[in-house]
Amino acid sequence: MIRGANALSIPVVVTEQYPERFGATARELSALLKPTCKAIPKTTFSMVVPEVAEVLASHPTRRTVLLTGIEAQVCVFQTALDLIGRGYEVHVLADGVSSSRAFDCSVGLWRMTQHGALVSCYEMALLELMRDSRAPNFKVISELLKKPRPERLPSLPLAPPQSKL
């Protein structure tokens, strides 16, 4: 998604949950970030910390957020709720979120939809942004979509997840 955002000049915001304890952003991802995009350390579960709020405020006409991240049931969930509470339309990319346990990811996605988040995927989001195969950056996006990606079949939040108890 970072490559697609860069191609479409969409601002990217990165946070790191307690990096002293859990480490920095994976090199595979940080290598794709523009030099001006610095990871913002945080200890709150939501990424909507004051530094992120400043970035959001600096783009007042952008009211849609594409959200990816780890621990869908905690950090991504709480971020989605905070963004929705601030009036943003939140699209959670199902193939861009994860959890230590698949069940937890499914519950996180389901709960986010209960609060108004939209579940999407990488390809759907990029092509929705393009709208037309004649769009200026369509060829770049089309090439990105042809690249192999890990196949991931997340549980979709179509119904409440069933407890394994």
Side-chain angles (χ1 to χ4, degrees), residues 17 22 42 45 68-79 96-102 104-105 108-109 112 152:
Q17 178 67 29
F22 298 113
K42 66 183 184 71
F45 296 123
T68 64
I70 57 174
E71 299 306 335
Q73 78 285 6
V74 181
C75 295
V76 180
F77 172 71
Q78 290 187 26
T79 299
V97 298
S98 65
S99 296
S100 299
R101 295 169 199 83
D104 293 347
C105 188
L109 288 169
M112 285 182 258
R152 182 166 180 272

Side-chain angles (χ1 to χ4, degrees), residues 4 6-7 20-21 23 29 38 45-47 49 52 58 67 72 78 86 89 95 107 120 131 143 153 165:
N6 289 342
E20 298 83 15
R21 171 89 164 97
L29 297 176
K38 304 293 183 204
F45 296 123
S46 172
M47 74 178 285
V49 295
V52 171
S58 72
L67 188 57
Q78 290 187 26
R86 290 171 175 253
E89 181 177 278
D95 52 356
V107 171
S120 190
R131 303 296 261 179
E143 289 303 314
L153 300 173
L165 299 176

Side-chain angles (χ1 to χ4, degrees), residues 39 51-52 57 60 73 77 97 102 114 119-120 132 136 138 146 152 155 163:
E51 298 89 341
V52 171
Q73 78 285 6
F77 172 71
V97 298
Q114 287 181 310
V119 176
S120 190
D132 191 316
F138 178 76
K146 290 177 187 174
R152 182 166 180 272
S155 299
S163 173

Side-chain angles (χ1 to χ4, degrees), residues 142-159:
S142 179
E143 289 303 314
L144 284 176
L145 295 176
K146 290 177 187 174
K147 292 181 186 269
R149 300 188 301 276
E151 190 61 39
R152 182 166 180 272
L153 300 173
S155 299
L156 296 179
L158 301 176

